Amino acid sequence: MPEGPELHMASRYVNRVCAGVVFSGAVEKSEVSKNPEVPFASEAYRISATSRGKEMRLTLTPIEGEDSKDGGETGDPQPMDVVFRFGMSGFFRFTPEDELPKHAHLRFYTRERPRQALSFVDIRRFGTWEPNGNWQPERGPCIMFEYHSFRENVLLNLLDRAFDRPICEALLNQKYFNGIGNYLRAEILYRLKIPPFVKARTVLDGLLLKDHAEKNAKRAKEESTPVQVSEMSLSKKVKVKRETPDLLSLCHTVPLEVLQLGGKGYDPEQSGDSSFQEWLQCYCVSGMKSLRDHNRRTMWFQGDAGPMAPKNSKSPKAKKRVTKQGGDESDDKQVVQEKFQDNKVKGDKEETEGKTGLKRGKGAERNLEATSPVNKGKTIQKRKTATAEQAERRSGRMTRARAKQGS
């Protein structure tokens, strides 16, 4: 599903294609969408976009005086914010009116002729929009553009039950990690070599002490107070640790790397941008392991899964794996082994189906033979002959019985 970087790239796309464009009329919703109507209409308005984590907001701003000039009865309409959540496959497209995408469920039309349309396209229809909406209050600060608030929100709430769960599942909690999704959590944990099914609080506890030590050292430096030798030593250690990224800092920098790629990022419906596929180190990469977490989401990782891994959890069959160039021989062997197992299961299935089909085929032949016109006639004739013989035998028995009675 689109994650924080993809939502931000969508907002940049909208701002680029809508720059200087005047929209007009009512907002149009498709008949099949179950999302609410957007009660906005204006003779002239502009569209701008912003993102925050896994949400994106369109702002519809009427151009002052345009509605009243064109005879509007109620005067200029008020600006409206429409907040979007993309679900599994949402995105925006700007096209001519006669080339609307098939699954364009919300459409904003330009005033110029021939008209064009900005469309929210959602193939799977899991995406939502909210007219006059706001950022959801239960979502935390954005991992990319509110980093300090994001970090503080996590570290000050480590006693929350959300951090009793494995770290891979806690990373999908949008109350604390607004913008992190399935591929980002795999890439972040892989870079730090953290087993995905280790308790989240165990991973994050040390970061709170580190931040406190850094703040104390910074405060002491600003106040120009004498610093003891032990404090200086601690300050140096903090500086060294700061140079090595921790989990929360990677939650900020890894999504920014996706933005710097210049492509479209993760695309669940298409093969995606080649630069993004090359950037992936763990997610859907050949040679990596995968397990379903307690929420049935697939977690990609390398090495040990961790003590909180679900029992009897099996690796789901991947629809597609990214083959990295320059991989070692063990990766190639694992790919070959996976293909061999898949082919073996497929062959066994086909063999079983073939045997079943053979048995069914014999039965079908017998049914066909019995219902053919020639054989059907023979069967009827046999039945008539048998009936006549039975009648003759009964007649003979009756004649002998009468003869005995007469004697």
Side-chain angles (χ1 to χ4, degrees), residues 327-394:
D328 57 23
E329 185 179 356
S330 61
D331 288 351
D332 295 334
K333 288 182 178 179
Q334 183 162 351
V335 173
V336 172
Q337 183 66 20
E338 289 169 353
K339 290 182 178 179
F340 172 78
Q341 292 295 337
D342 290 345
N343 292 334
K344 184 177 184 301
V345 172
K346 183 178 180 182
D348 293 342
K349 183 178 179 182
E350 290 176 349
E351 183 180 355
T352 303
E353 291 176 349
K355 291 179 180 179
T356 305
L358 181 60
K359 293 179 181 179
R360 290 178 180 175
K362 290 181 179 179
E365 289 176 3
R366 288 194 294 269
N367 292 335
L368 180 61
E369 183 179 355
T371 57
S372 66
V374 176
N375 293 330
K376 188 174 182 181
K378 291 180 180 179
T379 302
I380 294 174
Q381 184 62 37
K382 288 179 180 180
R383 289 177 180 173
K384 288 182 178 180
T385 304
T387 303
E389 290 177 352
Q390 291 175 0
E392 186 178 351
R393 285 196 294 269
R394 284 198 298 269

Side-chain angles (χ1 to χ4, degrees), residues 231-368:
E231 291 179 345
M232 290 179 65
S233 176
L234 178 60
S235 178
K236 290 181 180 179
K237 290 181 180 180
V238 169
K239 185 176 180 180
V240 171
K241 288 185 178 181
R242 250 314 190 210
E243 294 175 355
T244 303
D246 58 46
L247 179 68
L248 297 182
S249 66
L250 282 187
C251 288
H252 169 65
T253 58
V254 171
L256 294 180
E257 289 180 15
V258 180
L259 294 182
Q260 294 172 358
L261 293 176
K264 59 183 177 180
Y266 174 71
D267 186 348
E269 301 299 330
Q270 304 294 333
S271 58
D273 182 65
S274 59
S275 60
F276 177 77
Q277 301 295 332
E278 294 173 0
W279 173 82
L280 291 172
Q281 299 180 29
C282 179
Y283 181 75
C284 287
V285 173
S286 296
M288 297 297 161
K289 301 177 182 178
S290 62
L291 286 176
R292 294 194 187 278
D293 63 21
H294 296 89
N295 298 317
R296 305 297 296 169
R297 299 290 303 276
T298 302
M299 178 66 213
W300 293 85
F301 62 98
Q302 185 183 54
D304 182 36
M308 299 181 72
K311 295 181 179 179
N312 301 322
S313 179
K314 296 181 180 180
S315 175
K317 183 178 179 181
K319 294 182 179 179
K320 180 180 179 181
R321 290 173 181 256
V322 179
T323 303
K324 306 295 287 185
Q325 294 183 354
D328 57 23
E329 185 179 356
S330 61
D331 288 351
D332 295 334
K333 288 182 178 179
Q334 183 162 351
V335 173
V336 172
Q337 183 66 20
E338 289 169 353
K339 290 182 178 179
F340 172 78
Q341 292 295 337
D342 290 345
N343 292 334
K344 184 177 184 301
V345 172
K346 183 178 180 182
D348 293 342
K349 183 178 179 182
E350 290 176 349
E351 183 180 355
T352 303
E353 291 176 349
K355 291 179 180 179
T356 305
L358 181 60
K359 293 179 181 179
R360 290 178 180 175
K362 290 181 179 179
E365 289 176 3
R366 288 194 294 269
N367 292 335
L368 180 61

